[in-house]
Amino acid sequence: MSTEQKWVYNFGGGTSDGDASMKNLLGGKGANLAEMASLGLPVPPGFTITTELCTLYYENDRSWPKGLNKMVDQALAKIGEVVGKKFGETANPLLVSVRSGARASMPGMMDTVLNLGLNDETVAGLAKLSGDERFAYDSYRRFIQMYSDVVLGVSHHNFEEILDTYKEENDHILDTDLKAADWKKVITAYKQEVEGHLGKPFPQDVREQLRGAIDAVFGSWRNDRANTYRRLHNIPESWGTAVNVQAMVFGNMGESSATGVAFTRDPSTGENAYYGEFLINAQGEDVVAGIRTPQPLTIKAKKAMGETSPSLEEAMAETYQELIAVFQKLEKHYRDMQDIEFTIQQGKLWMLQTRSGKRTAKAALKIAVDMCDEGLISEEDAVMRVEPGSLDQLLHPSLDPDAPRDQLTKGLPASPGAASGMVVFNSDEAERLAQDGYKVILVRVETSPEDIHGMHAAKGIVTARGGMTSHAAVVARGMGRPCVCGAGDLRIEKDGSAFTVAGRSVAKGEQITVDGSSGQVFFGEVKTVQPELSGDFAKVMIWADKCRRMGVRANAETPLDAQTARDFGAEGIGLCRTEHMFFDPERIVAVREMILADSRADREVALAKLLPMQRSDFKELFEVMSGLPVTVRLLDPPLHEFLPHSDSEIEEVAKSSGIDAGKLKLRAHNLQESNPMLGHRGCRLGVTYPEIYEMQARAIIEAACEVSASGAPVTPEIMIPLVAQQKELSFLKERVIAVAKAVFAEKGMSLDYMIGTMIELPRAALTADEIAVDAEFFSFGTNDLTQTTFGLSRDDAGTFLPDYIRQGILERDPFVTLDPDGVGALVEMAVEKGRKTRPDIKLGICGEHGGDPDSIRFVENAGLDYVSCSPYRVPIARLAAAQSALAILKK
Amino acid sequence: MSTEQKWVYNFGGGTSDGDASMKNLLGGKGANLAEMASLGLPVPPGFTITTELCTLYYENDRSWPKGLNKMVDQALAKIGEVVGKKFGETANPLLVSVRSGARASMPGMMDTVLNLGLNDETVAGLAKLSGDERFAYDSYRRFIQMYSDVVLGVSHHNFEEILDTYKEENDHILDTDLKAADWKKVITAYKQEVEGHLGKPFPQDVREQLRGAIDAVFGSWRNDRANTYRRLHNIPESWGTAVNVQAMVFGNMGESSATGVAFTRDPSTGENAYYGEFLINAQGEDVVAGIRTPQPLTIKAKKAMGETSPSLEEAMAETYQELIAVFQKLEKHYRDMQDIEFTIQQGKLWMLQTRSGKRTAKAALKIAVDMCDEGLISEEDAVMRVEPGSLDQLLHPSLDPDAPRDQLTKGLPASPGAASGMVVFNSDEAERLAQDGYKVILVRVETSPEDIHGMHAAKGIVTARGGMTSHAAVVARGMGRPCVCGAGDLRIEKDGSAFTVAGRSVAKGEQITVDGSSGQVFFGEVKTVQPELSGDFAKVMIWADKCRRMGVRANAETPLDAQTARDFGAEGIGLCRTEHMFFDPERIVAVREMILADSRADREVALAKLLPMQRSDFKELFEVMSGLPVTVRLLDPPLHEFLPHSDSEIEEVAKSSGIDAGKLKLRAHNLQESNPMLGHRGCRLGVTYPEIYEMQARAIIEAACEVSASGAPVTPEIMIPLVAQQKELSFLKERVIAVAKAVFAEKGMSLDYMIGTMIELPRAALTADEIAVDAEFFSFGTNDLTQTTFGLSRDDAGTFLPDYIRQGILERDPFVTLDPDGVGALVEMAVEKGRKTRPDIKLGICGEHGGDPDSIRFVENAGLDYVSCSPYRVPIARLAAAQSALAILKK
């Protein structure tokens, strides 16, 4: 035996073969049971079959390797010694539970069998031993049902039907109405049912039972639910599950027995107070089932909840104290808030599980800060304890959990936060009403860049179409507006008078409430509560900033967004999209005039009108960002985005702006593109119409000069988009430099500025060494880089991505989390090549990924200098960047 | 001096410092002059200032390095010694020419100065020495004009005006009417003009003259013309130009003087016969100017041309024999047909230039074969001597050069060959008329996949819009149909009755002629001549195939195209685009039925109708390609390409097919995409609708089985398009294998087939190691790979690519010649990664680049196994592949 591998690890009876560090081998549950047993805590003895054996099991075509049988027998014998019982012995039978337990928690995904070891003989022994015949036969029928369902493939519906029929025929209503004699009859019927299905009787051999249950748990690692869960949570199939076989303890052995769950601190608020509930004379499943109302653990909680039934502190004072001692021991040991399962069997406390407890963002912050104050963990540990993405909950208003609500529909939670307002279907109207002081919710089939002003004016946005990365979603997140996208059952009436959803009609002007965090849309106004950025939040942020290597900037165009970003701790602007400034009603006229110009001279006349407007935009922005760097991207979208499209829109624009409708139509037609994403945009506009970029460069440099006179200057970083080749950049850089020189000469002053480029095309990444000759900085535009690397249009992917997710072909939406193997490889390549040419090149990311914690981890590893994200994600990025830096230090 | 670099190389007088191998240092002209002088040929002595000095000159801010002055003086003295004259000596002045000469020929791009060394004094010496005062003063005035224009920046227009005025005032008509006295007066006026412009007199110091001329030639390396030429011909600026200073010889010193140009073989036919022309008593510029008609060299040529003026063979029999001896010597020496310039000065032959002569494709083939037969060159040399792209001229019918013609318009030469036929504006009509035996030319604004049948039925195609890589161009080249694209001034009447161009109207049914090789469109029928694939062509192809490493396949769908390809030597099909088979009128109905199906079951009904049609398509194709591999790409384009778009088309289709118009419209609307290129297409269709790919796989395997029974089987290679990740391929591969197994079981037989993928997305290239786990072959789809790598839509690039070319940002259209740095880097990466996973993976290219010689060279270097191109480019690819393989051997 000594040369064989160890596949079975015992725990309990004061010793353990394993410990908490062995999660990969023993699974989370098994490792923690071993750890608790080593700590001397009262853990029912048992053993864990390793995850390695699971892998071997599958490699061996689902069969047991030689030697495993013997190891299991020896381990069973050891349990028997500890508890003084014997597996399969009629007089004093050992009963066991068989549970799965993978490296990562997969709640409810895999199978469990309880009360194993019961058969027609041992059940009689159990009855005698417990002195409770009803308990014994109830346990046996539960076992037959569970085992048949899980191991033998006879669905539990069959047994539920038998039980229902029996109760009906015998005028019983509740299970508790059945006595031992009743259960015996039910058991006979159950066994007949099994034999009817399988053509052979329910197994009476307890070893056969155990073997079947272990096989079933291993098998459940690859059941559909588990496969799906793994896919959704990125858990590799190769990890496998462990199997935990453990002596049964019973919380349903009378009034001195109980079962419960507890958290060592409040998982909702983080308060340092025991939190949990229990049921007397019950099994774990009864707590979950919710038939009886569980009682609180402590007197304090009981009072707070206005409960009348006694708390555990009162009902079982001694055991309660024992439990508290366990809590304290575990928290000190694990240095984290614990989520615990326990059972009290006839006055004796047994610990069934411990693990780090899930918690709200608010609780995570408080627990981290408190534990740091208590000296339990370091500041760095505290930073690592808060899930960056969870902060989103704290940064936006949310629905008052107590407020009544009337749900209309549910779409995608596209931009978090909650808001109420009157329904408006048109962006101009939204803006008008907002100016008049109304709160409005913009409801659209989908949004386009022409809706920017309406979205800005609205308190919230709802669209019928589009996904998490649709225009509406991206812009709303950028603006911090709550947004629900892709509410597919919502139909807007053609005349724009109302929308209907599931048969209900909501008219223009009626109140609705949008919850962008859940994707729900409610009728009427639902009360909201404002976010509280508590002292804990601020403390953790300060600690995070100490650990952070990368800078965090924001993507912002308006002074308001910039101010929000700065308040959230942004250290500059990483992406100012100048075209967003072009949609202002006053400006769009001049923009269209420029687009319709027949000659460079005419275009320059129109550009001259835009210059003072752009300059004042930049001045406002630079004032807000005083002392910080601001990256301004020159015009990026294709020109047709600024023109009306439908005939009626064209007529309207022509009428209101005095432009000839025919000319407008012709130009709009000529500018149409088959693939606008790959068309005449970005620096390609700059090459065709250098005067546009020259105007923008002039506006930037003039604004910087004027602002620098009155305070700490900004460093403008002029960014040329969509560069595919060095020559594009050098051609345009030359022109920008000439403009800057001219402005400096006119103003008799000078200031620092930089010229760089987006890396958003594969070719730019592949030739980054050449591009870095001219670029003083790179900003990775990972939205477009993902589109081109995958050959995947963000706007069109919605039609087939669901199939991809369903088939398991795509694990994560690459527009949400940066694809490390394709897009990431290009980023790494560009970083290496860029630094080779220009060692001090500044490197950042300004795609949507800049606010995604997993992507931030990737770019920390890739060695970028900063991330830039929407203002409301700045705190998330600060925390994620800190965690990523710490993770590297720990490597 | 010995420690200094050598910047000046002498030649002439029987010796040379340089030779023909030193082109990089001495330029083409300088190296060949040195070589000829070494061979003992009569070359006027001179010297070459190196290209290195040119680079140094620019680095030194356009100034001469120390020591150069002295080297030039010494070299001048050497020339003087040889010719017995002295530079600047009044009595016996040495006159020189100063000419540019870069590594690559840049005809007419840079500057030249002749007759340098003349001033008010030396001109008198020249008059005396030559005994021809008129000649001397004519030379001087020519020199002043040329020098002032080139060196002093006083435009030649000024001098032409003075001369015109002088002639007018003195009633002269021709230059030859002017006598020495006249020229003296003109010279006085010229010198005044120069002084008026510059404020100082025309330089009389001959050393100053020389220095100025050398500076001017170096300077002309970076003039606008030269910059543009270099950009267009991919000549690096860093190469620099050499400067050749050479003793003047004069072909205009009376009746025993002459000047001429010659080819050692006929550059048009390749015939081994001297070919050239000369003028008695003339300078080189007079031959070019075309004022006098030059005379032929030989009696034979004179007879053939029906000329009356004497040939050189008659007029100067002795010198002619001397020249013939030079020809023979040069051809033997250079082992290639030479293009020669010579001057005869008072009976003495002087060689001014030799270089390999440009020639037609036909001539290139004949010369290569003849020289090989003559033992002058090897078969491999012969293969290297023919420009692959030039073969295009030989593979298509061409206009009879003698036929009269009436040009209507000119567009882009999109697909070579010439054809006549009646004008038709509609593809259905084109097909109908063709079936009735009419020859038609399809004229469209642009074509779409729905025009395939019309294009196939037509003899030629004209479009008003679209570039060299538009749909029409690509498909026409594939089909071998002559095509003119982007005839921008062509307007089709709305009612489809006629087109107008430059005010002329051509009605439906009238005859026009398309010359796809020149881009011209003519009114009426112009006689064409059929291509002759002469014995020379066949011989060179056989030699090429011996040298070739890569296979050459064709992109073809129809049996006709496949047969053409096979006749041209294709070794299989590298790309069969199954969707082209879907546009057949009979099939499109079933295709649309499939697209409109509401359920998988309905879709399968429609697919069942398509199955026998697809199977019979493949059977026909496999029969033609018997014994060879055939790569079949499963459905690639987005489904909306198969649906009608405009309301009227929808109505029409609905009426003719019995499909509900509303449903059709709704589906077409729902399938619309923002960026179809990046949308729901390729394997994404396969993932969403696996049944489509399953039907296609079944059709392929069934066809292969049925055909294999009756002859040499094909190896079907099933190709999954647009793969971005391994999982897509493995998902679909599994389904294809299942279908193949099922077919084999049904048929009771089996055959070899392969499953592979296109590499046409950057992510596929970046993760090729993973994809190769499932792919048995890669075919590089470089059209789409170029689109995604550059982020550039082929359909939309037309609006801004001209700006890119004009600004020198883009040197070559990346859709024509593979971009080595971006797209090429991805190809190399994928090759390496693919082979790492699967050493025997089969690698090919099937994008348009597969028929482009430069791209073929790239993929030869990258180690691909085969190229695949349109049938008419197969011979080009064979030759290019052979040359690429030889080039590698020679490295």
Side-chain angles (χ1 to χ4, degrees), chain B residues 392-410:
Chain B
D392 222 17
Q393 301 168 21
L394 303 179
L395 298 170
H396 299 276
S398 55
L399 292 185
D400 182 341
D402 300 327
R405 57 200 67 191
D406 170 12
Q407 181 170 326
L408 285 169
T409 182
K410 188 158 187 248

Side-chain angles (χ1 to χ4, degrees), chain B residues 855-870:
Chain B
S855 310
I856 291 171
R857 193 176 320 123
F858 182 88
V859 300
E860 167 75 35
N861 284 314
L864 261 50
D865 298 314
Y866 67 89
V867 301
S868 187
C869 57
S870 59

